[in-house]
Amino acid sequence: MKRLKNWRMQTKIIFLAAVIILTVLLATAPAVLYLVAGSTERQMGARALDIARTLSVNPPLQEAFYSTAPIERIAPLADQVRRLTGADFVIVMDRGGRQFSHPLPGYLGKATAGLDYGPTLMEGRQFYTRLQVEHTPALAGLAPVYGRDGELVGLVSVGFYLQELSALTWRLGGQIAATAAVGLLIGVGGSLLLAGHIKRQMYGLEPPQIAGLLDERTTVLQSVREGIIAVDAEERITVANQEARRIIGFEGDPVGRPVRDLVPQSRLHEVLESGQAQYDQEMILGGRVVVANRVPLRHEGRVVGVVASFRDRTELNRLASELTAARRYSDALRAQAHEFNNRLHAVAGLVQLGATDEAVEYILRTQGQHQSLLDLLARTVPDPLVGAIILGKYNRAAELHVRLEMDPASRFAQAPEDLGPDLLVTVLGNLMDNAIEAVQALPEEQRWVRVLLDDQGPAVRITVTDGGPGVPPALQQQIFTDGFSTKAPTGRGFGLALVSLLVTQAGGRIWTEEAPSRFVITFPGRALA
């Protein structure tokens, strides 16, 4: 049963090919036969006319018209020409219509009243035409015969019966039919090969099965909660489900359009070029934070496209920021505990060495530095979540031998209304991490980071300054692009893009300055939560 089903499509293809070939043959055969018959008639008429012309200028024939017994001289000559050329008849007559040669001996010497000979006998015209010879249709060539002084003395009529033309046409028709039959067999054989090839290309599926799979694929694509985009080897979009169109915000139908024009930061070209899949890559699409997977499509070992799936993580990130607040506190305490352990070890070493005065001085100095930071944070940043991230980064910077300072001019009562403490923590954390990484490999005098939070002026202002060389002017716009990084070729370049996205969505503005190295964020007005 399965085998019969597998042959169903091939049988249809073969049947359709045979029907098409037969239809074409039946439609063209009459026209071909008509053209062949017309061409054959013209060739036969031209041949008859050529024979008549040749005989009409034969000198013995011309002299025979002046003989006292023209029939005895002309009839044998005409009969000889008929036998040599294969003509069915050769008729010679004078201007009065008296026949000196004729296929039927009983007509010799008798006059004919045929109007077909008039143009030749009266005007000297030469041509071929259809006429009746003893009630038999024939094709005859007519040529005038001129005498001694150039006078018109008679004509020559050489012809072929049309039965021969019909027989020849039918013979050609039979040859055409035989050729068509061979063409039909070749067409059916080619259709069989084509059907087998199509069957293999479609993995042995029948059209109804393919239609069913297409419907299933469309339903699945539209029902999943992830955005899905597929591109071909030319980087043109072939599939984009509703979720992908919603997240990216496509205008119109994206299918068939270059993905680089619609989603420049998709990175699908990287997978096309390398053939390596990319999983769980965070990126920004359509103003949203998404996690994307990119998998190459292969056919016979070649990469013929890429499928990318991505899920909106914006709301998940908002929830995750609240869940990770406790972790930030624990990280801050861990870093602080680690720092105090280092200081206790230093104090213990000084006591063991007998340098008690130096130990007391060191305790007072470190206690004063830490307490001054805590006092400054308590006074300028009342929000505990924001204070915790700054304290945690302070201790982390101390581990990396980087001085992180809070600008004494800071005054920051509450986070901007549209940003909120949770997202402010993400923004500050990324900016401070970026600044610490930028200076940790520099000389000691340049290993410093300063944070300023100010909401007392006409605009809310957040500034993170460091001792690094800053961002070159040519790159000051690119650094906020998803995937762009000056630190590593892959796997980086998401933090600043996320900061820019969050600030922009909250109605703020971010930019960078080169001397000194500084990132500045401003929000209009004093919109407080």
Side-chain angles (χ1 to χ4, degrees):
M1 188 68 179
K2 184 177 180 181
R3 193 169 184 179
L4 290 175
K5 289 183 177 179
N6 290 337
W7 275 92
R8 188 180 302 163
M9 185 186 70
Q10 293 173 281
T11 304
K12 288 181 179 179
I13 293 177
I14 296 170
F15 176 75
L16 289 175
V19 169
I20 291 172
I21 294 173
L22 285 175
T23 302
V24 171
L25 290 177
L26 292 175
T28 57
V32 171
L33 287 176
Y34 175 79
L35 293 175
V36 168
S39 175
T40 304
E41 181 175 336
R42 287 191 296 272
Q43 293 177 4
M44 187 177 290
R47 182 186 175 196
L49 182 58
D50 288 341
I51 298 172
R53 285 173 180 169
T54 302
L55 182 58
S56 67
V57 296
N58 184 275
L61 178 69
Q62 293 172 334
E63 287 298 326
F65 274 86
Y66 297 97
S67 171
T68 57
I71 295 177
E72 287 76 4
R73 296 180 61 181
I74 292 175
L77 180 61
D79 186 63
Q80 182 183 8
V81 170
R82 181 186 61 79
R83 287 185 282 103
L84 291 175
T85 60
D88 290 320
F89 60 86
V90 177
I91 299 175
V92 181
M93 65 180 67
D94 62 12
R95 293 196 67 178
R98 193 159 57 103
Q99 300 176 99
F100 298 148
S101 69
H102 196 278
L104 299 176
Y107 284 86
L108 293 175
K110 295 181 179 181
T112 180
L115 296 178
D116 296 318
Y117 302 123
T120 302
L121 292 176
M122 303 301 296
E123 303 172 14
R125 291 172 56 188
Q126 50 184 351
F127 57 94
Y128 68 86
T129 184
R130 287 174 176 254
L131 47 76
Q132 295 284 332
V133 178
E134 285 302 307
H135 307 294
T136 302
L139 189 65
L142 306 178
V145 180
Y146 293 94
R148 296 170 181 171
D149 299 327
E151 61 176 334
L152 181 62
V153 296
L155 65 79
V156 174
S157 174
V158 178
F160 300 89
Y161 293 124
L162 289 181
Q163 290 91 333
E164 182 179 349
L165 176 62
S166 299
L168 179 60
T169 301
W170 281 110
R171 284 198 300 272
L172 291 174
Q175 295 175 359
I176 293 173
T179 304
V182 174
L184 178 61
L185 292 176
I186 294 175
V188 171
S191 301
L192 183 61
L193 295 177
L194 176 62
H197 175 72
I198 294 175
K199 193 76 173 179
R200 289 190 297 272
Q201 291 293 314
M202 296 191 303
Y203 301 100
L205 298 176
E206 292 290 330
Q209 295 173 307
I210 296 174
L213 289 176
L214 180 61
D215 292 338
E216 292 176 8
R217 189 201 72 161
T218 302
T219 303
V220 170
L221 286 176
Q222 303 306 336
S223 64
V224 296
R225 296 294 303 274
E226 290 190 351
I228 297 177
I229 291 179
V231 300
D232 57 18
E234 303 298 326
E235 297 186 35
R236 293 187 177 275
I237 296 175
T238 57
V239 173
N241 68 350
Q242 291 296 333
E243 185 68 7
R245 301 185 188 200
R246 182 189 70 82
I247 293 175
I248 300 177
F250 286 132
E251 294 183 1
D253 189 0
V255 175
R257 300 168 65 184
V259 70
R260 293 206 192 196
D261 294 346
L262 301 178
V263 194
Q265 72 276 34
S266 68
R267 302 187 193 174
L268 295 180
H269 64 281
E270 298 177 4
V271 181
L272 275 175
E273 295 169 359
S274 66
Q276 300 296 319
Q278 298 177 357
Y279 297 103
D280 300 327
Q281 299 290 311
E282 285 193 334
M283 60 184 299
I284 297 174
L285 286 178
R288 300 172 184 269
V289 180
V290 301
V291 175
N293 298 310
R294 309 176 189 92
V295 181
L297 289 173
R298 299 182 183 274
H299 179 69
E300 296 180 353
R302 295 183 299 106
V303 177
V304 296
V306 179
V307 174
S309 62
F310 44 89
R311 184 155 190 171
D312 189 353
R313 289 291 301 273
T314 304
E315 295 301 325
L316 294 178
N317 283 347
R318 293 180 184 272
L319 296 175
S321 64
E322 297 180 5
L323 295 175
T324 55
R327 180 180 176 184
R328 294 185 185 277
Y329 278 116
S330 65
D331 287 343
L333 292 174
R334 182 200 59 77
Q336 187 174 0
H338 181 76
E339 182 65 18
F340 272 104
N341 283 333
N342 290 336
R343 292 172 183 174
L344 287 175
H345 291 158
V347 171
L350 290 173
V351 172
Q352 289 177 352
L353 293 173
T356 55
D357 293 338
E358 288 80 356
V360 172
E361 182 183 355
Y362 176 73
I363 292 172
L364 294 175
R365 184 173 68 252
T366 54
Q367 181 183 9
Q369 291 175 349
H370 190 71
Q371 189 61 43
S372 62
L373 175 61
L374 292 177
D375 293 341
L376 183 60
L377 287 175
R379 185 174 66 254
T380 61
V381 186
D383 191 296
L385 189 59
V386 178
I389 188 63
I390 295 175
L391 183 60
K393 297 301 179 184
Y394 172 84
N395 293 319
R396 173 61 179 163
E399 289 180 336
L400 299 174
H401 305 289
V402 175
R403 299 190 310 278
L404 191 150
E405 304 170 353
M406 189 72 182
D407 195 310
S410 295
R411 296 293 184 275
F412 202 79
Q414 289 180 309
E417 183 178 51
D418 294 329
L419 194 63
D422 296 332
L423 296 182
L424 178 59
V425 166
T426 300
V427 170
L428 270 178
N430 277 286
L431 289 181
M432 287 189 288
D433 282 340
N434 188 73
I436 292 171
E437 289 183 14
V439 301
Q440 67 180 7
L442 298 179
E444 182 179 356
E445 63 273 10
Q446 293 180 269
R447 292 201 299 270
W448 59 269
V449 176
R450 185 176 297 112
V451 179
L452 170 65
L453 305 177
D454 182 15
D455 65 355
Q456 304 303 306
V460 178
R461 185 182 180 91
I462 300 172
T463 305
V464 177
T465 309
D466 61 68
V471 180
L475 302 179
Q476 288 184 2
Q477 294 300 322
Q478 290 180 267
I479 59 172
F480 298 113
T481 303
D482 182 21
F484 179 84
S485 175
T486 59
K487 298 170 185 166
T490 58
R492 304 294 295 269
F494 180 72
L496 290 178
L498 177 60
V499 169
S500 176
L501 173 64
L502 296 176
V503 170
T504 303
Q505 288 180 339
R509 176 171 171 259
I510 182 172
W511 71 91
T512 181
E513 300 173 354
E514 187 178 11
S517 175
R518 177 181 296 138
F519 282 84
V520 182
I521 298 174
T522 59
F523 294 91
R526 294 182 58 191
L528 304 179

PDB file of all heavy atoms in Angstrom, residues 34-64:
ATOM      1  N   TYR A  34      -0.483  21.030 -42.919  1.00  0.00           N
ATOM      2  CA  TYR A  34      -0.871  22.084 -43.867  1.00  0.00           C
ATOM      3  C   TYR A  34       0.360  22.766 -44.447  1.00  0.00           C
ATOM      4  O   TYR A  34       0.458  23.008 -45.653  1.00  0.00           O
ATOM      5  CB  TYR A  34      -1.766  23.087 -43.151  1.00  0.00           C
ATOM      6  CG  TYR A  34      -2.129  24.284 -43.996  1.00  0.00           C
ATOM      7  CD1 TYR A  34      -3.134  24.201 -44.963  1.00  0.00           C
ATOM      8  CD2 TYR A  34      -1.463  25.502 -43.837  1.00  0.00           C
ATOM      9  CE1 TYR A  34      -3.468  25.294 -45.738  1.00  0.00           C
ATOM     10  CE2 TYR A  34      -1.782  26.597 -44.607  1.00  0.00           C
ATOM     11  CZ  TYR A  34      -2.785  26.491 -45.567  1.00  0.00           C
ATOM     12  OH  TYR A  34      -3.104  27.581 -46.345  1.00  0.00           O
ATOM     13  N   LEU A  35       1.303  23.073 -43.568  1.00  0.00           N
ATOM     14  CA  LEU A  35       2.523  23.732 -44.051  1.00  0.00           C
ATOM     15  C   LEU A  35       3.324  22.807 -44.955  1.00  0.00           C
ATOM     16  O   LEU A  35       3.878  23.243 -45.982  1.00  0.00           O
ATOM     17  CB  LEU A  35       3.376  24.168 -42.854  1.00  0.00           C
ATOM     18  CG  LEU A  35       2.780  25.271 -41.974  1.00  0.00           C
ATOM     19  CD1 LEU A  35       3.658  25.514 -40.752  1.00  0.00           C
ATOM     20  CD2 LEU A  35       2.629  26.568 -42.765  1.00  0.00           C
ATOM     21  N   VAL A  36       3.399  21.520 -44.569  1.00  0.00           N
ATOM     22  CA  VAL A  36       4.138  20.566 -45.396  1.00  0.00           C
ATOM     23  C   VAL A  36       3.479  20.409 -46.763  1.00  0.00           C
ATOM     24  O   VAL A  36       4.144  20.386 -47.802  1.00  0.00           O
ATOM     25  CB  VAL A  36       4.242  19.208 -44.671  1.00  0.00           C
ATOM     26  CG1 VAL A  36       4.749  18.131 -45.617  1.00  0.00           C
ATOM     27  CG2 VAL A  36       5.164  19.323 -43.461  1.00  0.00           C
ATOM     28  N   ALA A  37       2.118  20.311 -46.777  1.00  0.00           N
ATOM     29  CA  ALA A  37       1.408  20.172 -48.050  1.00  0.00           C
ATOM     30  C   ALA A  37       1.611  21.403 -48.928  1.00  0.00           C
ATOM     31  O   ALA A  37       1.847  21.297 -50.137  1.00  0.00           O
ATOM     32  CB  ALA A  37      -0.081  19.949 -47.778  1.00  0.00           C
ATOM     33  N   GLY A  38       1.539  22.575 -48.309  1.00  0.00           N
ATOM     34  CA  GLY A  38       1.755  23.791 -49.083  1.00  0.00           C
ATOM     35  C   GLY A  38       3.158  23.876 -49.634  1.00  0.00           C
ATOM     36  O   GLY A  38       3.370  24.260 -50.798  1.00  0.00           O
ATOM     37  N   SER A  39       4.145  23.519 -48.782  1.00  0.00           N
ATOM     38  CA  SER A  39       5.535  23.561 -49.247  1.00  0.00           C
ATOM     39  C   SER A  39       5.762  22.546 -50.365  1.00  0.00           C
ATOM     40  O   SER A  39       6.436  22.833 -51.361  1.00  0.00           O
ATOM     41  CB  SER A  39       6.468  23.274 -48.066  1.00  0.00           C
ATOM     42  OG  SER A  39       7.807  23.200 -48.483  1.00  0.00           O
ATOM     43  N   THR A  40       5.182  21.349 -50.211  1.00  0.00           N
ATOM     44  CA  THR A  40       5.337  20.312 -51.241  1.00  0.00           C
ATOM     45  C   THR A  40       4.684  20.742 -52.552  1.00  0.00           C
ATOM     46  O   THR A  40       5.243  20.534 -53.649  1.00  0.00           O
ATOM     47  CB  THR A  40       4.723  18.996 -50.750  1.00  0.00           C
ATOM     48  OG1 THR A  40       5.313  18.633 -49.504  1.00  0.00           O
ATOM     49  CG2 THR A  40       4.959  17.884 -51.751  1.00  0.00           C
ATOM     50  N   GLU A  41       3.517  21.358 -52.430  1.00  0.00           N
ATOM     51  CA  GLU A  41       2.842  21.824 -53.652  1.00  0.00           C
ATOM     52  C   GLU A  41       3.670  22.894 -54.357  1.00  0.00           C
ATOM     53  O   GLU A  41       3.783  22.886 -55.588  1.00  0.00           O
ATOM     54  CB  GLU A  41       1.458  22.367 -53.289  1.00  0.00           C
ATOM     55  CG  GLU A  41       0.663  22.848 -54.505  1.00  0.00           C
ATOM     56  CD  GLU A  41      -0.736  23.265 -54.137  1.00  0.00           C
ATOM     57  OE1 GLU A  41      -1.258  22.798 -53.107  1.00  0.00           O
ATOM     58  OE2 GLU A  41      -1.327  24.061 -54.889  1.00  0.00           O
ATOM     59  N   ARG A  42       4.229  23.796 -53.595  1.00  0.00           N
ATOM     60  CA  ARG A  42       5.046  24.835 -54.236  1.00  0.00           C
ATOM     61  C   ARG A  42       6.265  24.234 -54.918  1.00  0.00           C
ATOM     62  O   ARG A  42       6.661  24.642 -56.019  1.00  0.00           O
ATOM     63  CB  ARG A  42       5.471  25.866 -53.183  1.00  0.00           C
ATOM     64  CG  ARG A  42       4.334  26.786 -52.726  1.00  0.00           C
ATOM     65  CD  ARG A  42       4.858  27.934 -51.897  1.00  0.00           C
ATOM     66  NE  ARG A  42       5.470  27.475 -50.648  1.00  0.00           N
ATOM     67  CZ  ARG A  42       4.783  27.280 -49.515  1.00  0.00           C
ATOM     68  NH1 ARG A  42       3.471  27.462 -49.501  1.00  0.00           N
ATOM     69  NH2 ARG A  42       5.407  26.888 -48.430  1.00  0.00           N
ATOM     70  N   GLN A  43       6.898  23.271 -54.223  1.00  0.00           N
ATOM     71  CA  GLN A  43       8.075  22.639 -54.824  1.00  0.00           C
ATOM     72  C   GLN A  43       7.688  21.865 -56.102  1.00  0.00           C
ATOM     73  O   GLN A  43       8.385  21.941 -57.114  1.00  0.00           O
ATOM     74  CB  GLN A  43       8.724  21.699 -53.809  1.00  0.00           C
ATOM     75  CG  GLN A  43       9.343  22.417 -52.617  1.00  0.00           C
ATOM     76  CD  GLN A  43       9.908  21.444 -51.590  1.00  0.00           C
ATOM     77  OE1 GLN A  43       9.901  20.237 -51.816  1.00  0.00           O
ATOM     78  NE2 GLN A  43      10.398  21.972 -50.483  1.00  0.00           N
ATOM     79  N   MET A  44       6.551  21.142 -56.034  1.00  0.00           N
ATOM     80  CA  MET A  44       6.117  20.380 -57.202  1.00  0.00           C
ATOM     81  C   MET A  44       5.731  21.318 -58.351  1.00  0.00           C
ATOM     82  O   MET A  44       6.067  21.058 -59.528  1.00  0.00           O
ATOM     83  CB  MET A  44       4.939  19.477 -56.810  1.00  0.00           C
ATOM     84  CG  MET A  44       4.502  18.520 -57.909  1.00  0.00           C
ATOM     85  SD  MET A  44       3.172  17.421 -57.337  1.00  0.00           S
ATOM     86  CE  MET A  44       4.089  16.401 -56.172  1.00  0.00           C
ATOM     87  N   GLY A  45       5.034  22.421 -58.038  1.00  0.00           N
ATOM     88  CA  GLY A  45       4.664  23.376 -59.080  1.00  0.00           C
ATOM     89  C   GLY A  45       5.882  24.020 -59.710  1.00  0.00           C
ATOM     90  O   GLY A  45       5.953  24.208 -60.938  1.00  0.00           O
ATOM     91  N   ALA A  46       6.876  24.383 -58.841  1.00  0.00           N
ATOM     92  CA  ALA A  46       8.086  24.984 -59.387  1.00  0.00           C
ATOM     93  C   ALA A  46       8.843  23.995 -60.269  1.00  0.00           C
ATOM     94  O   ALA A  46       9.407  24.374 -61.314  1.00  0.00           O
ATOM     95  CB  ALA A  46       8.973  25.459 -58.230  1.00  0.00           C
ATOM     96  N   ARG A  47       8.829  22.733 -59.891  1.00  0.00           N
ATOM     97  CA  ARG A  47       9.506  21.713 -60.700  1.00  0.00           C
ATOM     98  C   ARG A  47       8.803  21.545 -62.047  1.00  0.00           C
ATOM     99  O   ARG A  47       9.461  21.469 -63.103  1.00  0.00           O
ATOM    100  CB  ARG A  47       9.524  20.383 -59.949  1.00  0.00           C
ATOM    101  CG  ARG A  47      10.247  19.278 -60.697  1.00  0.00           C
ATOM    102  CD  ARG A  47      10.112  17.962 -59.965  1.00  0.00           C
ATOM    103  NE  ARG A  47      10.708  16.880 -60.729  1.00  0.00           N
ATOM    104  CZ  ARG A  47      10.490  15.598 -60.510  1.00  0.00           C
ATOM    105  NH1 ARG A  47       9.637  15.238 -59.549  1.00  0.00           N
ATOM    106  NH2 ARG A  47      11.066  14.673 -61.243  1.00  0.00           N
ATOM    107  N   ALA A  48       7.460  21.489 -62.002  1.00  0.00           N
ATOM    108  CA  ALA A  48       6.723  21.353 -63.260  1.00  0.00           C
ATOM    109  C   ALA A  48       6.975  22.551 -64.177  1.00  0.00           C
ATOM    110  O   ALA A  48       7.145  22.397 -65.403  1.00  0.00           O
ATOM    111  CB  ALA A  48       5.234  21.209 -62.963  1.00  0.00           C
ATOM    112  N   LEU A  49       7.027  23.749 -63.599  1.00  0.00           N
ATOM    113  CA  LEU A  49       7.267  24.944 -64.407  1.00  0.00           C
ATOM    114  C   LEU A  49       8.669  24.930 -64.994  1.00  0.00           C
ATOM    115  O   LEU A  49       8.883  25.312 -66.167  1.00  0.00           O
ATOM    116  CB  LEU A  49       7.047  26.188 -63.548  1.00  0.00           C
ATOM    117  CG  LEU A  49       7.215  27.541 -64.255  1.00  0.00           C
ATOM    118  CD1 LEU A  49       6.274  27.661 -65.450  1.00  0.00           C
ATOM    119  CD2 LEU A  49       6.990  28.691 -63.276  1.00  0.00           C
ATOM    120  N   ASP A  50       9.651  24.481 -64.213  1.00  0.00           N
ATOM    121  CA  ASP A  50      11.027  24.424 -64.731  1.00  0.00           C
ATOM    122  C   ASP A  50      11.114  23.461 -65.921  1.00  0.00           C
ATOM    123  O   ASP A  50      11.787  23.742 -66.925  1.00  0.00           O
ATOM    124  CB  ASP A  50      11.982  23.968 -63.618  1.00  0.00           C
ATOM    125  CG  ASP A  50      12.190  25.058 -62.575  1.00  0.00           C
ATOM    126  OD1 ASP A  50      11.921  26.229 -62.881  1.00  0.00           O
ATOM    127  OD2 ASP A  50      12.612  24.714 -61.434  1.00  0.00           O
ATOM    128  N   ILE A  51      10.445  22.301 -65.794  1.00  0.00           N
ATOM    129  CA  ILE A  51      10.475  21.342 -66.914  1.00  0.00           C
ATOM    130  C   ILE A  51       9.810  21.954 -68.151  1.00  0.00           C
ATOM    131  O   ILE A  51      10.306  21.825 -69.282  1.00  0.00           O
ATOM    132  CB  ILE A  51       9.785  20.035 -66.502  1.00  0.00           C
ATOM    133  CG1 ILE A  51      10.538  19.376 -65.328  1.00  0.00           C
ATOM    134  CG2 ILE A  51       9.698  19.073 -67.685  1.00  0.00           C
ATOM    135  CD1 ILE A  51       9.817  18.191 -64.727  1.00  0.00           C
ATOM    136  N   ALA A  52       8.661  22.619 -67.926  1.00  0.00           N
ATOM    137  CA  ALA A  52       7.963  23.242 -69.059  1.00  0.00           C
ATOM    138  C   ALA A  52       8.813  24.320 -69.709  1.00  0.00           C
ATOM    139  O   ALA A  52       8.864  24.440 -70.955  1.00  0.00           O
ATOM    140  CB  ALA A  52       6.627  23.815 -68.575  1.00  0.00           C
ATOM    141  N   ARG A  53       9.482  25.140 -68.934  1.00  0.00           N
ATOM    142  CA  ARG A  53      10.350  26.182 -69.494  1.00  0.00           C
ATOM    143  C   ARG A  53      11.467  25.560 -70.338  1.00  0.00           C
ATOM    144  O   ARG A  53      11.787  26.043 -71.432  1.00  0.00           O
ATOM    145  CB  ARG A  53      10.965  26.999 -68.349  1.00  0.00           C
ATOM    146  CG  ARG A  53      10.015  27.982 -67.688  1.00  0.00           C
ATOM    147  CD  ARG A  53      10.702  28.573 -66.476  1.00  0.00           C
ATOM    148  NE  ARG A  53       9.855  29.536 -65.790  1.00  0.00           N
ATOM    149  CZ  ARG A  53      10.133  30.023 -64.595  1.00  0.00           C
ATOM    150  NH1 ARG A  53      11.225  29.614 -63.939  1.00  0.00           N
ATOM    151  NH2 ARG A  53       9.330  30.903 -64.047  1.00  0.00           N
ATOM    152  N   THR A  54      12.088  24.523 -69.753  1.00  0.00           N
ATOM    153  CA  THR A  54      13.219  23.896 -70.465  1.00  0.00           C
ATOM    154  C   THR A  54      12.764  23.327 -71.812  1.00  0.00           C
ATOM    155  O   THR A  54      13.442  23.483 -72.833  1.00  0.00           O
ATOM    156  CB  THR A  54      13.818  22.785 -69.597  1.00  0.00           C
ATOM    157  OG1 THR A  54      14.235  23.342 -68.337  1.00  0.00           O
ATOM    158  CG2 THR A  54      15.013  22.162 -70.275  1.00  0.00           C
ATOM    159  N   LEU A  55      11.618  22.653 -71.785  1.00  0.00           N
ATOM    160  CA  LEU A  55      11.128  22.052 -73.030  1.00  0.00           C
ATOM    161  C   LEU A  55      10.669  23.114 -74.027  1.00  0.00           C
ATOM    162  O   LEU A  55      10.838  22.956 -75.242  1.00  0.00           O
ATOM    163  CB  LEU A  55       9.983  21.094 -72.717  1.00  0.00           C
ATOM    164  CG  LEU A  55       9.380  20.339 -73.915  1.00  0.00           C
ATOM    165  CD1 LEU A  55      10.465  19.520 -74.629  1.00  0.00           C
ATOM    166  CD2 LEU A  55       8.241  19.441 -73.468  1.00  0.00           C
ATOM    167  N   SER A  56      10.118  24.238 -73.533  1.00  0.00           N
ATOM    168  CA  SER A  56       9.571  25.259 -74.437  1.00  0.00           C
ATOM    169  C   SER A  56      10.647  25.944 -75.269  1.00  0.00           C
ATOM    170  O   SER A  56      10.365  26.499 -76.340  1.00  0.00           O
ATOM    171  CB  SER A  56       8.780  26.296 -73.652  1.00  0.00           C
ATOM    172  OG  SER A  56       9.651  27.054 -72.816  1.00  0.00           O
ATOM    173  N   VAL A  57      11.871  25.925 -74.783  1.00  0.00           N
ATOM    174  CA  VAL A  57      12.958  26.587 -75.533  1.00  0.00           C
ATOM    175  C   VAL A  57      13.814  25.572 -76.279  1.00  0.00           C
ATOM    176  O   VAL A  57      14.887  25.917 -76.798  1.00  0.00           O
ATOM    177  CB  VAL A  57      13.834  27.425 -74.573  1.00  0.00           C
ATOM    178  CG1 VAL A  57      13.032  28.558 -73.949  1.00  0.00           C
ATOM    179  CG2 VAL A  57      14.461  26.542 -73.481  1.00  0.00           C
ATOM    180  N   ASN A  58      13.315  24.323 -76.356  1.00  0.00           N
ATOM    181  CA  ASN A  58      14.058  23.293 -77.087  1.00  0.00           C
ATOM    182  C   ASN A  58      13.934  23.561 -78.585  1.00  0.00           C
ATOM    183  O   ASN A  58      12.816  23.620 -79.127  1.00  0.00           O
ATOM    184  CB  ASN A  58      13.479  21.920 -76.734  1.00  0.00           C
ATOM    185  CG  ASN A  58      14.271  20.806 -77.379  1.00  0.00           C
ATOM    186  OD1 ASN A  58      14.029  20.458 -78.543  1.00  0.00           O
ATOM    187  ND2 ASN A  58      15.194  20.231 -76.621  1.00  0.00           N
ATOM    188  N   PRO A  59      15.043  23.754 -79.331  1.00  0.00           N
ATOM    189  CA  PRO A  59      14.977  24.096 -80.761  1.00  0.00           C
ATOM    190  C   PRO A  59      14.218  23.067 -81.594  1.00  0.00           C
ATOM    191  O   PRO A  59      13.392  23.465 -82.434  1.00  0.00           O
ATOM    192  CB  PRO A  59      16.446  24.203 -81.169  1.00  0.00           C
ATOM    193  CG  PRO A  59      17.154  24.574 -79.911  1.00  0.00           C
ATOM    194  CD  PRO A  59      16.421  23.845 -78.833  1.00  0.00           C
ATOM    195  N   PRO A  60      14.440  21.749 -81.426  1.00  0.00           N
ATOM    196  CA  PRO A  60      13.652  20.802 -82.235  1.00  0.00           C
ATOM    197  C   PRO A  60      12.149  20.971 -82.011  1.00  0.00           C
ATOM    198  O   PRO A  60      11.348  20.809 -82.931  1.00  0.00           O
ATOM    199  CB  PRO A  60      14.153  19.448 -81.752  1.00  0.00           C
ATOM    200  CG  PRO A  60      15.531  19.698 -81.267  1.00  0.00           C
ATOM    201  CD  PRO A  60      15.485  21.043 -80.644  1.00  0.00           C
ATOM    202  N   LEU A  61      11.768  21.263 -80.757  1.00  0.00           N
ATOM    203  CA  LEU A  61      10.346  21.467 -80.485  1.00  0.00           C
ATOM    204  C   LEU A  61       9.828  22.705 -81.219  1.00  0.00           C
ATOM    205  O   LEU A  61       8.738  22.688 -81.819  1.00  0.00           O
ATOM    206  CB  LEU A  61      10.103  21.601 -78.974  1.00  0.00           C
ATOM    207  CG  LEU A  61       8.645  21.879 -78.560  1.00  0.00           C
ATOM    208  CD1 LEU A  61       7.781  20.669 -78.835  1.00  0.00           C
ATOM    209  CD2 LEU A  61       8.576  22.296 -77.098  1.00  0.00           C
ATOM    210  N   GLN A  62      10.621  23.781 -81.160  1.00  0.00           N
ATOM    211  CA  GLN A  62      10.184  25.014 -81.819  1.00  0.00           C
ATOM    212  C   GLN A  62      10.052  24.813 -83.339  1.00  0.00           C
ATOM    213  O   GLN A  62       9.095  25.285 -83.974  1.00  0.00           O
ATOM    214  CB  GLN A  62      11.176  26.148 -81.500  1.00  0.00           C
ATOM    215  CG  GLN A  62      11.168  26.565 -80.034  1.00  0.00           C
ATOM    216  CD  GLN A  62      12.284  27.537 -79.697  1.00  0.00           C
ATOM    217  OE1 GLN A  62      13.331  27.543 -80.376  1.00  0.00           O
ATOM    218  NE2 GLN A  62      12.084  28.335 -78.662  1.00  0.00           N
ATOM    219  N   GLU A  63      11.012  24.106 -83.953  1.00  0.00           N
ATOM    220  CA  GLU A  63      10.960  23.870 -85.410  1.00  0.00           C
ATOM    221  C   GLU A  63       9.809  22.940 -85.783  1.00  0.00           C
ATOM    222  O   GLU A  63       9.241  23.028 -86.873  1.00  0.00           O
ATOM    223  CB  GLU A  63      12.293  23.264 -85.874  1.00  0.00           C
ATOM    224  CG  GLU A  63      13.443  24.247 -85.902  1.00  0.00           C
ATOM    225  CD  GLU A  63      13.202  25.392 -86.889  1.00  0.00           C
ATOM    226  OE1 GLU A  63      12.570  25.150 -87.950  1.00  0.00           O
ATOM    227  OE2 GLU A  63      13.634  26.526 -86.577  1.00  0.00           O
ATOM    228  N   ALA A  64       9.434  22.066 -84.874  1.00  0.00           N
ATOM    229  CA  ALA A  64       8.370  21.101 -85.179  1.00  0.00           C
ATOM    230  C   ALA A  64       7.035  21.794 -85.394  1.00  0.00           C
ATOM    231  O   ALA A  64       6.139  21.241 -86.052  1.00  0.00           O
ATOM    232  CB  ALA A  64       8.267  20.086 -84.057  1.00  0.00           C
TER     233      ALA A  64
END
